[in-house]
Amino acid sequence: MLRAYRAGVFPMAEARDAARLHWLDPDPRGILPLDHFHLPRRLKRTVLSGPYRVTANADFAGVITGCAAPAPGREGTWINTEIERLFLALHHMGHAHSVEVWEGEALVGGLYGVALGAAFFGESMFSRGRDASKVALVHLVARLRWGGGALLDTQFLTGHLAQFGAVEIPRATYKALLAEAADQPLRWTPGPDAAELEAAIRALRPAAD
């Protein structure tokens, strides 16, 4: 898995009950430039003073389960049991991380991905509360900027990600960026304290709602 990610290749299944994995190497490739993340002002207020509590690596299994569960507009999933097994193993090895969004004691959103050097490969996110997955994304970007992240891979470009500044780049350009980022260090744990994280969020580039 780690060799595949270093080469810019990632796995997906065709369906939840699929027995096989497929390896993808898309061209063009979606990335979210960390220095050009667009944070809508309303979302920034929600992140800084909204109803949610955000953690990192507190419930990786819960996040990947949430990402695999059917949701309105997303009845199917590419996360099969083998994907879950592989990413849980990477998490236990310290290579896969999650961001959790809580409302009280309920897990209402989150995301997970793989870190390889200063590159972070975003895999999936889910939301059961208003803006919960967006809050998780803001926290991920803030943590990566704080920790020296150099590349945030989104795999593909979607309209949802484009509003935050995500773009498509040629595969060859992506792989050159990946080769450089993979050999740089990234601080993930123990992570920023509350004041450092708030400062990192406040420093994100504002965007119009």
Side-chain angles (χ1 to χ4, degrees), residues 48 146 191-203:
L48 292 172
W146 170 87
D193 61 27
E196 290 172 323
L197 185 57
E198 180 176 334
I201 292 170
R202 291 188 181 278

Side-chain angles (χ1 to χ4, degrees), residues 89-175:
L90 286 177
H91 174 64
H92 291 310
M93 294 167 62
H95 295 294
H97 303 291
S98 59
V99 176
E100 302 87 17
V101 179
W102 307 85
E103 190 166 20
E105 297 303 313
L107 181 63
V108 296
L111 58 81
Y112 76 96
V114 173
L116 185 64
F120 190 91
F121 308 85
E123 290 295 323
S124 187
M125 60 176 63
F126 81 101
S127 182
R128 299 192 189 112
R130 181 180 180 182
D131 291 336
S133 62
K134 296 178 182 178
V135 169
L137 178 61
V138 172
H139 272 259
L140 172 66
V141 170
R143 288 182 66 96
L144 292 175
R145 283 167 56 100
W146 170 87
L151 176 65
L152 175 50
D153 173 18
T154 67
Q155 300 176 346
F156 303 102
L157 178 65
T158 65
H160 174 72
L161 291 171
Q163 68 180 308
F164 296 105
V167 296
E168 288 183 326
I169 59 175
R171 180 165 56 197
T173 303
Y174 166 78
K175 293 199 174 182

Side-chain angles (χ1 to χ4, degrees), residues 1-7 95 97 114-121 178 181-184 186:
M1 284 281 282
L2 294 176
R3 286 196 299 270
Y5 275 93
R6 181 174 281 272
H95 295 294
H97 303 291
V114 173
L116 185 64
F120 190 91
F121 308 85
L178 173 59
D183 290 327
Q184 298 176 27
L186 173 68

